[in-house]
Amino acid sequence: MGGSQSTQETDFEYGKAWRDTPWGEKGHLEKTLKDFGLCDPNIKHARILVVGEIGAGKSSFINSVNSVFQGRITNEALVNKTTDTSRTFTKLYKTYYIRNGQSLMPFVLTDTMGIESENLHGIHQEDIVKAMEGCIKERYKFNPESPITPQDNSYRSNPSLQDQTYCLVFVIAADKISMAADDNIYKKVKHIKSKADELEIPQVMILTRPDEACPLVKQNIRKVYTSKKIKEKLEECSAHTGISVSHIFPVKCYHEEIDTQDDMDVLILRAFKHIVHMANDALRLKCNEKENSE
């Protein structure tokens, strides 16, 4: 009785768009992204900035994207392996290139210090704004107490199109959404989102650890798009941040696995395909603006 009731309460159909998840089309999704070309051939890569609360899996998401294309588990972005997630692990502004075999793909993922609820801890919101504008140089060490200034050696005064951000990716853990709802995290996320809107940078939300938020998904990752619990988490996340549900993607990142898995890869590829297209659209707008101003 108990198990049956749980299934009834949790099982849900999102609608046709969600039910049509191409579980068997990993190869097609992968090829689409490997063949992807940016709208401007003079731009080597489009920058995707990854931000989010501490311990949510920013670095794990970056590693997971690279793992899909490498066909093996990669760990270029260092991940906190301890149980202490009370303070952010990533300290530097660091860019990771996505590889297709030995060649580089035309987009990069940039990792950042985690957002923390308390003030004077975690990344300063204005540093994220400067990163979106392209004003922060590689390997800048974030200072939670004060944002970067033009006097800093790591400040870039005249960022090129390639330095700028074309999609902002928020990472939030599905199993911690309710706990974070009443603290300062969402106020900071909304502030960052408003700045991204001003800069005309599209935003996507990656909802990590869906398996920890829903027992059915833990048993079978394919239940992620028919889970009532996950649907509630998506809607709750959208309400707290202002990001449309259609731009929020539940993704299970590689963490303890020793080999890649097709169903996990499909979720990662589906989200990343959306991110890449949004970034390319934003790049096209920037290129058009530059041409019209010259």
Side-chain angles (χ1 to χ4, degrees):
M1 285 288 289
S4 173
Q5 184 179 7
S6 174
T7 300
Q8 288 178 356
E9 289 177 350
T10 314
D11 229 9
F12 181 88
E13 289 193 349
Y14 281 43
K16 188 176 187 301
W18 296 99
R19 292 199 305 272
D20 288 348
T21 304
W23 293 111
E25 296 185 20
K26 174 192 167 182
H28 173 71
L29 286 167
E30 194 171 358
K31 185 178 186 304
T32 298
L33 285 164
K34 284 183 175 180
D35 294 343
F36 192 89
L38 296 177
C39 60
D40 187 342
N42 296 317
I43 304 295
K44 291 183 179 179
H45 54 250
R47 187 174 303 277
I48 298 159
L49 188 67
V50 184
V51 303
E53 62 178 334
I54 58 167
K58 298 185 309 302
S59 300
S60 292
F61 175 68
I62 292 171
N63 286 333
S64 295
V65 171
N66 233 332
S67 295
V68 174
F69 293 107
Q70 290 293 302
R72 61 179 177 82
I73 302 300
T74 64
N75 292 286
E76 286 188 38
L78 296 180
V79 177
N80 188 0
K81 300 293 186 181
T82 71
T83 56
D84 181 15
T85 57
S86 61
R87 285 291 177 261
T88 183
F89 184 73
T90 302
K91 309 289 186 183
L92 304 177
Y93 177 87
K94 191 171 181 182
T95 298
Y96 295 90
Y97 295 84
I98 310 302
R99 299 183 181 278
N100 174 13
Q102 295 303 312
S103 61
L104 297 178
M105 300 178 76
F107 23 77
V108 294
L109 293 164
T110 300
D111 203 1
T112 57
M113 191 179 207
I115 300 171
E116 297 194 33
S117 180
E118 300 172 45
N119 292 325
L120 304 182
H121 291 285
I123 191 170
H124 198 289
Q125 296 168 75
E126 294 310 310
D127 273 343
I128 295 178
V129 176
K130 292 302 177 186
M132 288 191 288
E133 293 174 342
C135 295
I136 295 183
K137 294 180 181 178
E138 188 71 3
R139 300 192 66 82
Y140 165 70
K141 187 173 182 179
F142 293 105
N143 180 358
E145 297 184 10
S146 61
I148 194 169
T149 66
Q151 290 71 44
D152 197 294
N153 289 333
S154 293
Y155 190 91
R156 182 183 291 111
S157 300
N158 298 300
S160 67
L161 285 176
Q162 196 154 279
D163 298 321
Q164 298 170 39
T165 293
Y166 295 100
C167 187
L168 179 64
V169 176
F170 290 101
V171 179
I172 288 184
D175 58 325
K176 292 189 175 181
I177 288 176
S178 295
M179 287 186 281
D182 296 327
D183 66 23
N184 208 26
I185 290 285
Y186 286 120
K187 290 180 182 177
K188 291 184 176 182
V189 169
K190 283 184 175 179
H191 173 76
I192 296 163
K193 182 187 183 304
S194 69
K195 293 296 184 181
D197 288 339
E198 290 175 12
L199 294 169
E200 297 184 312
I201 297 172
Q203 306 113 42
V204 168
M205 180 78 72
I206 297 296
L207 204 62
T208 59
R209 299 209 293 265
D211 53 319
E212 297 299 326
C214 175
L216 283 183
V217 175
K218 197 173 188 69
Q219 294 172 13
N220 183 357
I221 192 65
R222 292 194 179 195
K223 291 285 186 179
V224 74
Y225 285 123
T226 56
S227 165
K228 183 178 179 182
K229 177 66 72 175
I230 297 303
K231 178 178 182 291
E232 289 172 352
K233 294 291 184 182
L234 292 173
E235 292 174 343
E236 190 175 355
C237 197
S238 178
H240 287 317
T241 63
I243 294 175
S244 168
V245 170
S246 63
H247 291 168
I248 304 177
F249 293 86
V251 169
K252 183 182 178 185
C253 296
Y254 286 110
H255 177 57
E256 299 176 335
E257 294 78 11
I258 59 173
D259 295 302
T260 58
Q261 300 174 16
D262 285 354
D263 286 348
M264 288 177 64
D265 285 355
V266 166
L267 291 179
I268 295 164
L269 288 166
R270 194 166 189 251
F272 198 59
K273 178 183 174 184
H274 190 84
I275 291 168
V276 165
H277 279 291
M278 291 183 75
N280 195 42
D281 289 343
L283 174 61
R284 183 180 291 107
L285 287 174
K286 282 284 179 72
C287 290
N288 290 341
E289 288 176 3
K290 186 178 180 181
E291 287 178 7
N292 292 334
S293 64
E294 291 177 349

